[in-house]
Amino acid sequence: MIVRTLQEIEGTDREVSADNWMSRRLLLRDDKMGFSLHDTIIRAGTSTEMHYQNHLEAVYCIHGKGKVTVVSTGEVFPIRRGTVYALDENDKHVLTAETTMRMVCVFNPPLAGPESHDESGAYPRIEEAPTT
Ligand code: 9YT
């Protein structure tokens, strides 16, 4: 069994920060669960365009409020504590945080660890080192 706390992760390389967000990566590929699990803070007043072309992501809001816009259709969904959105079609989207938001994020396939957005708003696929 894996037991880990947020406090153990804070300040380590499992904490990845960008201008608009900070992601604490509780479970990663090496944990061999088939998904990664993140506790992510979205900074208040920011808008972030993302397009996870290599991953499916589900995002569950546990604090704060904002909205997510689907770029292809222009649909806008309010996001509040208790709302989940799932990017089941690798949807290009914009997340806007009215207040600081805290999100529980799951990625499939799991992130390896250090990924941050590239210029297209995606995380690169990091290949596993071959085992000999
Ligand atoms: C909500 C969202 O997608 N924010 C970007 C960070 C990402 N979810 C992560 O790596 O935790």
Side-chain angles (χ1 to χ4, degrees), residues 1-37:
M1 185 182 293
I2 301 164
V3 178
R4 199 168 276 150
T5 68
L6 191 57
Q7 287 93 327
E8 287 166 8
I9 284 167
E10 284 167 342
T12 72
D13 58 5
R14 284 175 172 264
E15 188 173 77
V16 177
S17 217
D19 286 348
N20 294 355
W21 50 266
M22 176 177 55
S23 171
R24 286 79 58 89
R25 297 180 172 168
L26 292 154
L27 293 171
L28 287 167
R29 185 173 68 195
D30 283 354
D31 295 314
K32 301 198 182 311
M33 294 294 291
F35 57 85
S36 58
L37 177 69

Side-chain angles (χ1 to χ4, degrees), residues 21 23 25 38 40 42 50 52 57 85 95 105 107 123:
W21 50 266
S23 171
R25 297 180 172 168
H38 315 176
T40 297
I42 312 292
M50 293 170 268
Y52 294 124
E57 185 195 24
Y85 66 88
L95 180 65
C105 310
F107 279 77
Y123 287 148

Side-chain angles (χ1 to χ4, degrees), residues 4 32 36 61 68 72 98:
R4 199 168 276 150
K32 301 198 182 311
S36 58
C61 177
V68 66
S72 63
E98 288 170 38

Side-chain angles (χ1 to χ4, degrees), residues 9-130:
I9 284 167
E10 284 167 342
T12 72
D13 58 5
R14 284 175 172 264
E15 188 173 77
V16 177
S17 217
D19 286 348
N20 294 355
W21 50 266
M22 176 177 55
S23 171
R24 286 79 58 89
R25 297 180 172 168
L26 292 154
L27 293 171
L28 287 167
R29 185 173 68 195
D30 283 354
D31 295 314
K32 301 198 182 311
M33 294 294 291
F35 57 85
S36 58
L37 177 69
H38 315 176
D39 181 327
T40 297
I41 302 295
I42 312 292
R43 303 189 208 286
T46 63
S47 277
T48 309
E49 183 170 293
M50 293 170 268
H51 192 192
Y52 294 124
Q53 297 161 83
N54 303 312
H55 301 86
L56 298 175
E57 185 195 24
V59 180
Y60 182 58
C61 177
I62 58 170
H63 177 84
K65 60 179 182 174
K67 63 182 180 181
V68 66
T69 303
V70 183
V71 171
S72 63
T73 63
E75 285 171 289
V76 180
F77 297 97
I79 305 295
R80 302 277 183 275
R81 181 166 61 89
T83 307
V84 66
Y85 66 88
L87 304 163
D88 60 331
E89 296 182 347
N90 304 97
D91 317 66
K92 188 175 190 175
H93 61 290
V94 178
L95 180 65
T96 301
E98 288 170 38
T99 67
T100 299
M101 301 175 84
R102 186 172 179 190
M103 313 294 232
V104 176
C105 310
V106 176
F107 279 77
N108 168 24
L111 297 200
E115 290 93 334
S116 205
H117 295 151
D118 65 17
E119 60 288 339
S120 73
Y123 287 148
R125 187 185 285 274
I126 298 178
E127 298 303 331
E128 271 185 272

